[in-house]
Every structure is written in C-alpha cells, then in structure tokens.
Amino acid sequence: LLALKTVIVLAIIPAGALALGYVFLLKMMSHMQSRLGPMDPGGFHGWYQLIGDGLKFVQKEDIVPAEAERKVFALAPAIVVISTFPGHAAEEIEQQVTVPIERSLNSVPSVIARRSRTIFGLSVVELTFDYGTNDYFARQLVLEKLRDANLPDGVEPGLGPMSTPIGELYKYTLEGQGYDSQQLREVEDWVVEPRLLQVPGVTNITPFGGLIKQYQIDVDPVSLSKYNLSIRTVADAVGANNENAGGALLDNKQQGLVVRGVGLIQSVADIENVVVTAANGVAVYVRDIGRVSIGAAQRTGIFALDDKADRVEGIVLMRRGENPSAVLAGIHAAVDELNATGLPAGVRIVPLYDR
C-alpha cells in the first residue's frame, strides 16, 4: 500500500507541473495575441512555427532581429529633448525652459507618456510614443513643435540619440603613457568619436571623464572698474574678434584674387591682443584687464577604473532597429584602424565591454 501511494504521488507531481505549464502557455499565447494581433489559421501549429523560426534565426545570426524587437518586445519609441542653460539654478530652468518646451509639445500626436527632469544647467523632456510609431516621423513632429517654444536667448534644445536602453554594445577607454586626461579627452573628441560615428548603425558616442580644454580669461575687478567695463562687454569684444570675413574677389585684369579677413583666435596671444575699448585715445586690450590662460571646464563628475582615478571612457550607442552583429563588426574594424594608424604615438583604445 505504501509503494502504491508513492507511485500515485510521483505520478501526480509531473501531471500537476504539466497542467501549470499548459495554463502558463495559454496565458502567454493570449498575451502575445493581444500585442501582435490574431495569428493565421494555423492554430497551435502557427505558434510552433513562430517559435521554430525564432530559434532558427537566433541559431543562425545570434541576435534578436529588428522585426522581432518591434513585434515581440514592442519597444515604444521615445524622443528625448535635451536643453542646456549654463549657470542657472533648477528653478529658473524649470520655469523658463522645461515648462515652455512641455507646453509646445502638448499637441504632439500618438504620445502615451510625458516625463521631464530639471537639474542645475540642464533640462530633459522625454516623450514616449505609441507602439508602431515610426522613429523618424516622431522626431520630425517634435522638431516642428519645438519651434513654437519661447525660450531664453542662448537655449537651443536638441534631440537625444535614437537608441534604446540595450543599445550600449561597446565601451572603451583611452590609454597613453605620458598623456594627461585633458590630452586624452581631446583625442577622444576630435579623433576617436568622428571615426566611430562613421560606422553604419552607430547613432552616438557618449564620452565620460577627462578635462575639457578651455581658453579662460581671469578678469581683474579693479581693472574693470578703472575702465568702466563689464563682463558682458569683455565677452562681446572677444566674440566679435573671433571670426573670419570675406571680401569677394579683386580683379587685376589677369586673374581674380580672393580677399579674406583672417580673425579667428588661434592662441592665448590672440585673445590677449583683442581690443576691448579705448580710454583717452589709447586702446585697452584684454591683457590690460585680466590674465588669459588655457584651463579646463568645471567638471561635474569623474571616471575611475582600477587604480587610476582620472581616465577617459567612451560608450558606443547602436541605432534603434540595427543588427548588433553587423554594427559590432564595423566597430571592431574601426578600432583596429585607429589603433594601427589613427591615434597619436603611444595612445591606444582598450575595450572595457564588448557584446
């Protein structure tokens, strides 16, 4: 009798698990039908074929195809509007930037969620669109509506990259013996990023760490008071003296000579020699009211790895709907090319994460 009870219990356990699994499968099929629409009249064979084709595709390509991403995972497109307003507190940015942008985007169709975040110097407004909305169509709608936003001078909102949370497929650092973080950040901004952005399927490169080079003017308040000047006057004078001008053509009856006025700032000495005003017929230069030097922008964070507390990192973002395997192949080729011939002597790209 004990053996018979044991056999019955052992038989009931798998039967119960099978029943629970069947109920779970029915619920999953019902949920997928509600998201994908009704299947063709193949019944359960249609679902079996769908699963089989998916397994074959994954085995062949080792990726999740864009069509499966759109239909099965149903990732809704999201548009992120990013605006910077340096030097202003979150309250001012909320009132003068975030709220006007939100109001201008209220009439955008097919939006299912709206979110915004405001911090010191930065405003972020995110719109989530309905499933099936074309990404480029949604971005075009947002750009059209942003024209109606009444924003302060100098605030120019832009759209974030067309990527997804799973689009971060390659991370790297720059290493170079004898190079500081500012020099490595220059290489990242002017050499590495432009090359990686040429890879098909890459939508953006997000840099972290390093010092951003700046030309800085340390103004003497006493000198400003002496010449009756303001910070705005100095900034306007430097900006007005930092451009080239065209003078059309000079015809000497034999050939046309191009006339140019070269005024772009190239060095610290060029900034020092900018004329700000005149006092009693004598020119007042920038060097007379302050000290010009090369410095770095005020940093709000740092990237550290292992025992090095100041390094430079880059994150490659894949464009929504692209093939990760094909994009990674292009990234690998670009990195090999940069390491071979494209970087300064001693600088190398070292991968941190490679999907």
Side-chain angles (χ1 to χ4, degrees):
L1 182 59
L2 181 60
L4 179 60
K5 290 182 179 180
T6 303
V7 171
I8 293 175
V9 170
L10 293 177
I12 290 176
I13 291 177
L18 182 62
L20 290 176
Y22 180 71
V23 171
F24 176 76
L25 179 62
L26 291 179
K27 288 183 175 294
M28 183 183 70
M29 291 167 60
S30 175
H31 176 69
M32 292 181 68
Q33 276 186 326
S34 65
R35 301 295 289 270
L36 303 179
M39 295 291 292
D40 56 343
F44 189 82
H45 175 72
W47 293 99
Y48 176 79
Q49 183 178 1
L50 174 66
I51 297 173
D53 292 343
L55 291 176
K56 290 179 182 178
F57 191 92
V58 172
Q59 184 179 9
K60 180 180 179 181
E61 300 289 344
D62 194 25
I63 63 169
V64 178
E67 190 67 15
E69 178 185 352
R70 285 192 292 269
K71 289 188 175 182
V72 178
F73 297 104
L75 294 176
I79 307 299
V80 181
V81 181
I82 303 173
S83 307
T84 58
F85 200 13
H88 291 76
E91 184 176 358
E92 280 71 34
I93 296 179
E94 177 77 19
Q95 296 173 354
Q96 302 179 35
V97 180
T98 304
V99 172
I101 290 178
E102 289 177 336
R103 290 175 62 88
S104 67
L105 298 179
N106 278 337
S107 61
V108 176
S110 303
V111 174
I112 60 177
R114 295 176 174 85
R115 301 177 181 87
S116 66
R117 297 180 297 277
T118 304
I119 61 175
F120 176 79
L122 179 66
S123 168
V124 178
V125 178
E126 180 178 353
L127 301 182
T128 303
F129 286 80
D130 197 3
Y131 301 119
T133 304
N134 182 272
D135 293 275
Y136 296 99
F137 174 71
R139 295 172 74 87
Q140 183 63 35
L141 285 177
V142 172
L143 287 175
E144 291 178 358
K145 294 298 181 180
L146 282 176
R147 301 172 185 170
D148 301 331
N150 186 15
L151 301 175
D153 294 337
V155 178
E156 297 181 359
L159 302 186
M162 194 174 69
S163 183
T164 64
I166 60 174
E168 299 182 2
L169 44 72
Y170 193 86
K171 298 181 181 180
Y172 62 89
T173 62
L174 288 180
E175 294 186 357
Q177 189 70 26
Y179 292 84
D180 57 26
S181 63
Q182 180 172 300
Q183 293 171 320
L184 292 177
R185 181 59 186 260
E186 281 191 77
V187 174
E188 164 67 22
D189 293 339
W190 297 100
V191 179
V192 178
E193 285 189 24
R195 177 60 185 92
L196 292 180
L197 286 173
Q198 296 176 5
V199 176
V202 173
T203 184
N204 196 30
I205 310 295
T206 303
F208 281 97
L211 298 174
I212 301 177
K213 181 179 178 180
Q214 281 187 342
Y215 288 91
Q216 300 176 343
I217 304 175
D218 297 324
V219 179
D220 181 11
V222 176
S223 299
L224 288 181
S225 177
K226 175 182 177 181
Y227 295 109
N228 194 24
L229 297 174
S230 65
I231 295 293
R232 173 54 59 188
T233 304
V234 177
D236 292 342
V238 174
N241 285 271
N242 186 28
E243 61 182 43
N244 289 344
L249 293 175
L250 177 63
D251 187 9
N252 64 355
K253 306 305 180 180
Q254 295 181 353
Q255 60 182 348
L257 302 178
V258 178
V259 180
R260 297 177 60 216
V262 180
L264 283 178
I265 292 175
Q266 302 289 338
S267 64
V268 170
D270 292 341
I271 302 178
E272 292 176 337
N273 293 326
V274 170
V275 177
V276 180
T277 186
N280 298 324
V282 179
V284 178
Y285 299 93
V286 171
R287 63 175 180 264
D288 298 326
I289 60 173
R291 183 175 60 89
V292 183
S293 61
I294 296 178
Q298 184 177 5
R299 62 195 313 172
T300 57
I302 194 172
F303 173 72
L305 180 66
D306 298 333
D307 59 342
K308 297 182 179 179
D310 193 6
R311 304 184 68 173
V312 177
E313 179 196 30
I315 301 177
V316 183
L317 301 180
M318 181 185 68
R319 185 177 296 109
R320 175 185 171 91
E322 295 288 343
N323 185 328
S325 297
V327 177
L328 280 172
I331 293 173
H332 294 157
V335 170
D336 292 340
E337 175 189 330
L338 287 170
N339 281 335
T341 60
L343 297 177
V347 179
R348 289 188 56 80
I349 298 176
V350 179
L352 286 178
Y353 167 74
D354 186 345
R355 186 178 300 176

